[in-house]
């Protein structure tokens, strides 16, 4: 039966306790939350860190503490962000990858005006360095796509040998400054990626549920969690990230598919057979 991978993005860089008191922010909170999500069927944990004031940080000690706590509890695939702190340098955006060698990390394949108030900057120089660092440390890129141009940009890095195929894409729809979270946009973007690529999708805001249904129907994988949505339903805050994962798992089963375990996700994403050099 067809397997669907659930990624949980527990924290992100922006939501605070005042937006949802149940959002995990410290390494202990994030690790405990990821464990609950794993029990409900999440196979990948997409991680962001916060500093002691709750702001997004690329502090590699925070990443290390969190990743070690998670690894001591379950076999979920670790997927670290490479962004979310506007003051980070190219080097600090990659330092935790070298340090921890997570199985996956985000690779944001272009720049964008972010939330109408800042620049989401991923320069050509950074993308080359990030891709090389991922190759050297055997980290599989999750190519995040906010609009169609970023897909074409990814083809350039594939051609240069900086991104390897089959590639894995994450369609991030509904961010202010990127493509809206509509089923039509998802169908269009999915039509642009190569046939051998794997992909997942998420919707920020009210497009979250339609996009989840559409991704399941189109043969994709899905991402849920408070990085993307602090509301579980209209006017109802999420009680936990595990609640989002449990709903995603129910929908997958209702669609006559199966929730992929971390081991099955490693097969689907070809994480086990990756080598540091060579195709
Ligand atoms: Zn993220």
């Amino acid at each position: 039966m067809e397997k669907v991978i659930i990624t949980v993005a527990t924290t992100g860089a922006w939501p605070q306790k005042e937006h949802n008191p149940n959002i995990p922010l410290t390494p202990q909170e994030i690790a405990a939350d990821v464990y609950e999500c794993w029990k409900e069927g999440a196979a990948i944990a997409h991680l962001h860190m916060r500093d002691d004031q709750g702001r997004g940080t690329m502090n590699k000690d925070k990443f290390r503490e969190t990743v070690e706590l998670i690894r001591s509890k379950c076999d979920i695939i670790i997927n670290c962000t490479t962004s979310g702190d506007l003051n980070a340098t190219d080097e600090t955006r990659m330092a935790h990858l070298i340090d921890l060698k997570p199985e996956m990390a985000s690779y944001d394949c272009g720049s964008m005006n972010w939330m109408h108030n800042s620049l989401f900057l991923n320069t050509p120089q950074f993308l080359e360095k990030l891709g090389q660092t991922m190759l050297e440390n055997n980290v599989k890129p999750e190519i995040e796509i906010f609009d169609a141009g970023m897909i074409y940009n990814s083809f350039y890095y594939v051609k240069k040998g900086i991104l390897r195929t089959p590639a894995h894409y994450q369609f991030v729809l509904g961010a202010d400054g990127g493509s809206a979270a509509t089923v039509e946009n998802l169908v269009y973007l999915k039509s642009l990626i190569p046939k051998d690529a794997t992909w997942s999708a998420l919707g920020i805001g009210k497009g979250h549920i339609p996009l989840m249904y559409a991704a399941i129907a189109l043969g994709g994988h899905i991402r849920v969690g408070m990085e993307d949505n602090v509301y579980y339903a209209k006017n109802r805050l999420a009680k936990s990230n595990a609640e989002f994962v449990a709903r995603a798992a129910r929908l997958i089963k209702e669609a006559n598919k199966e929730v992929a375990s971390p081991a099955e996700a490693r097969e689907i994403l070809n994480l086990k057979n990756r080598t540091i050099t060579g195709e």
Side-chain angles (χ1 to χ4, degrees), residues 46 48 81 223 227:
H46 172 70
H48 283 251
T81 188
R223 172 170 129 177
E227 172 166 351

Side-chain angles (χ1 to χ4, degrees), residues 33-43 73-76 245 262:
D33 191 283
V34 165
Y35 180 60
E36 293 304 314
C37 293
W38 171 79
K39 286 199 279 188
E40 295 293 342
K73 283 181 170 166
C74 63
D75 67 342
I76 200 163
V245 176

Side-chain angles (χ1 to χ4, degrees), residues 156-170:
Y156 170 78
Y157 293 108
V158 167
K159 216 163 125 189
K160 278 200 92 173
I162 287 171
L163 292 174
R164 293 276 159 84
T165 57
H168 181 65
Y169 290 87
Q170 180 75 262

Side-chain angles (χ1 to χ4, degrees), residues 84-245:
D85 173 1
L86 296 172
N87 299 314
T89 64
D90 287 0
E91 279 61 42
T92 56
R93 291 177 68 179
M94 302 186 289
H96 60 311
L97 305 185
I98 299 163
D99 197 32
L100 295 167
K101 310 198 188 315
E103 286 174 274
M104 300 180 79
S106 53
Y107 186 93
D108 293 287
C109 215
S111 300
M112 188 177 95
N113 285 353
W114 182 257
M115 316 245 293
H116 313 303
N117 59 24
S118 56
L119 261 185
F120 183 30
L121 202 56
N122 296 287
T123 64
Q125 295 73 19
F126 174 65
L127 289 178
E128 294 209 6
K129 275 193 281 186
L130 179 61
Q132 286 297 350
T133 301
M134 286 182 164
L135 281 175
E136 285 159 16
N137 291 279
N138 203 20
V139 181
K140 176 148 182 166
E142 176 191 62
I143 306 169
E144 290 196 323
I145 299 299
F146 290 74
D147 61 39
M150 294 190 187
I151 296 177
Y152 292 101
N153 210 22
S154 77
F155 299 159
Y156 170 78
Y157 293 108
V158 167
K159 216 163 125 189
K160 278 200 92 173
I162 287 171
L163 292 174
R164 293 276 159 84
T165 57
H168 181 65
Y169 290 87
Q170 180 75 262
F171 299 116
V172 182
L173 303 185
D176 286 339
S179 301
T182 65
V183 172
E184 290 79 2
N185 281 343
L186 178 63
V187 169
Y188 169 62
L189 293 171
K190 185 217 166 230
S191 75
L192 302 178
I193 63 172
K195 291 280 167 282
D196 69 347
T198 50
W199 63 276
S200 174
L202 68 97
I204 297 168
K206 69 176 171 21
H208 165 225
I209 291 174
L211 274 196
M212 189 158 51
Y213 276 99
I216 294 169
L218 290 166
H221 304 285
I222 53 185
R223 172 170 129 177
V224 296
M226 291 196 218
E227 172 166 351
D228 311 320
N229 291 285
V230 292
Y231 285 92
Y232 181 81
K234 195 169 169 48
N235 299 326
R236 210 280 255 163
L237 289 172
K239 292 182 185 137
S240 66
N241 278 299
E243 185 178 36
F244 281 117
V245 176

